[in-house]
Amino acid sequence: MSTLDPNAATAAPPQNQDYRNHDHGEQQDSLTIPLLSSQRSIINSTSQIAIVGSNVSPIESLDYEIAENDLFKQDWRARDTSQIIQYVFMKWLLCFLVGLIVSLIGFFNNLAVENVAGVKFVITSNMMLASRYGMAFLVFLVSNLALTLFAAIITVFIAPAAAGSGIPEVKAYLNGVDAPEIFSLRTLVVKIVGSISAVSSSLLVGKAGPMIHTGSCVASLLGQGGSKKFGLTWKGLRLFKNDRDRRDLVTCGSAAGIAAAFRAPVGGLLFALEEMASWWRSALLWRAFFTTAVVAIILRSLIDVCLSGKCGLFGTGGLIMFDVYSESISYHLLDVPIVLALGVVGGILGSSYNFLLDKILRVYNLFHEKGIAYKIFLACLISIFTSCLLFGLPWLASCQPCPSDATEACPTIGRSGNYKKFQCPPGYYNDLASLIFNTNDDAIRNLFSKGTDSEFQYSSIIIFFVTCYLLSIFSYGIVAPVGLFVPVIVTGASYGRFVGMLVGSHSDLNHGLYAVLGAAAFLGGSMRMTVSLCVIILELTNNLLLLPLIMLVLLVSKTVADAFNGNIYDLIMKAKGLPYLEGHAEPYMRQLTVSDVVTGPLQLFCGIEKVGNIVHVLKTTDHNGFPVIDEPSLSESPVLYGLILRAHLITLLKKKAFLSTSLPTSVDDFRQFSAGDFAKRGSGNGDKIEDLDFTEEELEMFLDLHPFTNASPYTVVETMSLAKALTLFREVGLRHLLVIPKISNRSPVVGILTRHDFMPEHILSLHPLLVRSKWKRLRIRFPGLFYIF
């Protein structure tokens, strides 16, 4: 089992290397199991394993730091101008390809959902027009069940990593956590097909989150030249040979995903900046902006095709083609208190939503642990329950007469619209059916629509809000590619619409505007973003005049919700066991130095090391970084030469570039190796030490590690505060941080800090007295307070 990059190799048993052989009994065992498990109840984010999709999988960290060894330096010196131009050109070309492919996938997803769900509603509506209500319900129930069952089956049996929205996994990857199969070709295909099927099945789920994961999958596959496992590789694209370049491309892919989901290019860019990426720079900003611009242009062209009637019966709906509000508005100072109250309540509702969803996911995991049959049964059960509610609840609403000044046909028959007929007689419509017996996209459109202040009843809006609030929580945890973005928007819009109805004539804002502000409040309370959500909503509604009010409601709702818990994606990451490094240090970290969390003993390699020693260490440990020391035979005193990676050691052993003696030679090592030999492999394609065989004679030979050792690793002195070390570790994007002694006559290296050492659970297990400190109590009581500062 792989680990989370422990300090360095020791001679201890491999199963718990990441925990430095601490003998903590039950506490140690609890630190190796994700939170979503019946075997534990305490929070965990430092586990060797994490729940990826629906499976428990081993995870590792990514090497975002460039290993500047002699081979790397020679490779860069040998590059001519044409190769450098090709490298820069390929970055922009891949960004263009990501934008092109993601926009086509987004358009196809939207079109497929519109037509599959549309045909289902037309058939059901035609049966209801013929008063065949029982048969209509049966068709509605069976079609939804079949679509949900299909999505669950392909997810469980083909790509379990495709379950959920995928945003927590992508966010963790961009933070430096590598989980298996999250960007594989199988995951991409299942994400696309499963998302279409799940959203079309009338579950209260969205396709925006899966689109972000889809964009990231496309970017990752292009960055590594395709999928070697399925024989789909393009040698010309395999120019990104390190985790840093692939990370940047995945960041562009996530931005393209949200841009394609909402036709919001600037919002997608800001979403990647604010929520997804842990590292950002101006060059990446330009490339991400270019990627989302490509998405916007292609979507605009495809929308024009659909508007000409060439996309099927239902090709003009959906959020991609969503200009929901475009009239001039006016508001006054008296409207501000109402908007503030809307934000406060939205923050409370959003934080409670996160709390309940976190609890439901834990309960669902009890079913998932029992086996595949239970996972599929749970998905089917939720589908049946949802279908019964969606078909049954509109019968509770009374029929309303069609307004004389309606801007569209009333009642609506055979297409999307504001006035669903359902069981009503001619000239009447069912307002609850217009919301609940509809696609999520069209429900949002109806709630946001202008000139419809008298369309909905109080009871209908309340029923719809409660239904959306609960169904979106219960639907997210099923084993299928489903998202949270659209359910949160539709739930918040119904809440805002109800507030608008309560305020009535006391405000200059109409009910559609209150629905927009309610969606913003609920998004801010649940997802805790401000800038990106503000721009996404503006691009959705196509109305810049809403900017001040949306800014205000987002700031208020986020501030209120932060006092209760974290954002929804952070809670899911913690529950899954993904070791995400926060951008801020916990206050108690300033009381500790790096020596307080670094433990040993370390396994150090000499500059010229015996092959047998290297093989033994690699086979008995799962560590990924090893300090290289020059002994007095090569220097006056033991000196830290640098750090060598496990993957590079395996490459050296595989090539068998051995020396017969431990003395340095003048042999040019670069003749036997090229930079491509040490390039980052695609997901799951790395060599393993167990696959290599050596003779007794070879084990007695030596390897010169100097040319392949990173001679300039990041180091900190042992007296540095843990908070400062965390800032360096996260901002630079490190996997290993060497700790050197303050006194020069000691060993040249004290230990290695890795991601695990900065996890609060690990630190507090070493220093339990900190749990009772006033800072810790304040942090527990007001978890969002430290995000503000």
Side-chain angles (χ1 to χ4, degrees), residues 326-338:
S326 56
E327 73 171 14
S328 298
I329 60 173
S330 61
Y331 44 87
H332 305 286
L333 190 60
L334 293 177
D335 296 318
V336 173
I338 301 174

Side-chain angles (χ1 to χ4, degrees), residues 550-611:
I550 293 176
M551 290 176 65
L552 181 63
V553 78
L554 281 171
L555 286 170
V556 172
S557 62
K558 180 187 184 303
T559 303
V560 171
D562 275 342
F564 297 99
N565 50 32
N567 79 59
I568 186 60
Y569 297 124
D570 287 349
L571 293 177
I572 295 174
M573 276 194 298
K574 186 178 289 291
K576 285 175 172 287
L578 296 168
Y580 184 83
L581 280 180
E582 298 288 353
H584 62 277
E586 301 288 353
Y588 56 79
M589 290 184 181
R590 302 193 182 279
Q591 306 174 37
L592 302 172
T593 64
V594 294
S595 61
D596 292 326
V597 297
V598 167
T599 55
L602 285 171
Q603 174 66 60
L604 307 175
F605 285 141
C606 296
I608 301 179
E609 185 61 75
K610 191 175 181 179
V611 172

Side-chain angles (χ1 to χ4, degrees), residues 197-436:
S197 183
V199 175
S200 302
S201 69
S202 292
L203 291 172
L204 201 69
V205 296
K207 55 184 180 289
M211 270 305 304
I212 295 172
H213 193 183
T214 298
S216 301
C217 286
V218 170
S220 178
L221 289 170
L222 287 176
Q224 64 189 34
S227 175
K228 185 178 180 181
K229 182 176 182 179
F230 294 96
L232 301 173
T233 58
W234 300 272
K235 188 175 181 180
L237 296 180
R238 277 182 283 174
L239 201 64
F240 289 179
K241 300 176 181 179
N242 57 76
D243 286 330
R244 177 178 293 185
D245 285 336
R246 292 180 189 172
R247 174 196 72 193
D248 291 350
L249 195 59
V250 169
T251 304
C252 295
S254 66
I258 200 73
F262 293 119
R263 206 188 75 187
V266 180
L269 170 67
L270 294 175
F271 181 87
L273 168 61
E274 183 177 5
E275 178 64 16
M276 303 301 293
S278 295
W279 298 283
W280 199 269
R281 60 187 190 279
S282 58
L284 178 58
L285 178 69
W286 275 104
R287 289 201 297 274
F289 183 74
F290 172 70
T291 306
T292 57
V294 171
V295 171
I297 293 171
I298 294 176
L299 282 181
R300 183 69 260 176
S301 302
L302 294 173
I303 290 170
D304 290 338
V305 174
C306 280
L307 292 177
S308 65
K310 299 179 181 179
C311 294
L313 295 174
F314 304 94
T316 58
L319 287 173
I320 289 180
M321 310 146 199
F322 209 8
D323 296 333
V324 296
Y325 207 93
S326 56
E327 73 171 14
S328 298
I329 60 173
S330 61
Y331 44 87
H332 305 286
L333 190 60
L334 293 177
D335 296 318
V336 173
I338 301 174
V339 173
L340 289 175
L342 188 76
V344 171
V345 177
I348 296 173
L349 289 174
S351 60
S352 64
Y353 183 89
N354 293 359
F355 173 79
L356 292 174
L357 181 59
D358 184 50
K359 299 299 182 185
I360 291 296
L361 289 177
R362 301 190 196 192
V363 174
Y364 278 9
N365 192 68
L366 299 178
F367 287 87
H368 293 169
E369 289 178 343
K370 295 180 182 296
I372 292 176
Y374 286 86
K375 298 177 182 179
I376 297 176
F377 173 75
L378 180 61
C380 294
L381 186 64
I382 296 299
S383 175
I384 294 172
F385 178 67
T386 301
S387 297
C388 291
L389 281 182
L390 298 187
F391 193 90
L393 288 176
W395 294 88
L396 301 177
S398 59
C399 294
Q400 302 295 307
C402 289
S404 57
D405 57 346
T407 57
E408 61 179 77
C410 178
T412 301
I413 300 176
R415 62 181 180 82
S416 60
N418 282 63
Y419 305 101
K420 283 282 187 179
K421 185 176 185 297
F422 205 66
Q423 90 290 7
C424 294
Y428 288 79
Y429 71 97
N430 188 315
D431 61 334
L432 183 54
S434 299
L435 298 174
I436 209 167

Side-chain angles (χ1 to χ4, degrees), residues 663-680:
L663 299 176
T665 65
S666 59
V667 177
D668 188 0
D669 294 297
F670 303 130
R671 294 179 182 177
Q672 304 180 54
F673 299 95
S674 65
D677 295 328
F678 296 90
K680 177 74 175 184

Side-chain angles (χ1 to χ4, degrees), residues 572-771:
I572 295 174
M573 276 194 298
K574 186 178 289 291
K576 285 175 172 287
L578 296 168
Y580 184 83
L581 280 180
E582 298 288 353
H584 62 277
E586 301 288 353
Y588 56 79
M589 290 184 181
R590 302 193 182 279
Q591 306 174 37
L592 302 172
T593 64
V594 294
S595 61
D596 292 326
V597 297
V598 167
T599 55
L602 285 171
Q603 174 66 60
L604 307 175
F605 285 141
C606 296
I608 301 179
E609 185 61 75
K610 191 175 181 179
V611 172
N613 292 342
I614 298 176
V615 173
H616 172 73
V617 168
L618 293 182
K619 285 186 175 181
T620 56
T621 69
D622 286 321
H623 307 295
N624 291 282
F626 302 88
V628 176
I629 307 297
D630 273 343
E631 297 290 346
S633 59
L634 298 176
S635 61
E636 295 181 358
S637 60
V639 175
L640 173 64
Y641 184 81
L643 183 79
I644 191 165
L645 299 178
R646 180 188 190 89
H648 292 180
L649 286 171
I650 292 178
T651 300
L652 293 174
L653 294 172
K654 186 178 180 180
K655 288 280 188 175
K656 297 188 176 182
F658 303 148
L659 304 176
S660 56
T661 67
S662 60
L663 299 176
T665 65
S666 59
V667 177
D668 188 0
D669 294 297
F670 303 130
R671 294 179 182 177
Q672 304 180 54
F673 299 95
S674 65
D677 295 328
F678 296 90
K680 177 74 175 184
R681 301 294 181 88
S683 300
N685 294 325
D687 295 316
K688 298 180 179 179
I689 186 63
E690 290 78 12
D691 299 331
L692 305 180
D693 294 320
F694 304 95
T695 64
E696 291 294 331
E697 181 181 357
E698 289 173 337
L699 292 176
E700 296 298 320
M701 299 180 75
F702 297 86
L703 262 177
D704 186 359
L705 304 181
H706 291 97
F708 313 99
T709 300
N710 180 8
S712 57
Y714 283 90
T715 61
V716 295
V717 69
E718 61 183 341
T719 55
M720 175 181 280
S721 75
L722 192 61
K724 290 183 68 175
L726 171 62
T727 301
L728 173 65
F729 192 93
R730 191 183 190 277
E731 292 300 320
V732 181
L734 302 179
R735 186 178 188 177
H736 307 97
L737 182 60
L738 295 178
V739 180
I740 58 176
K742 191 173 183 67
I743 303 175
S744 59
N745 61 2
R746 293 170 54 192
S747 171
V749 59
V750 175
I752 302 178
L753 289 171
T754 61
R755 178 176 296 267
H756 163 74
D757 296 294
F758 296 104
M759 293 293 111
E761 289 72 26
H762 167 65
I763 298 170
L764 296 176
S765 69
L766 294 178
H767 305 280
L769 292 178
L770 290 173
V771 178

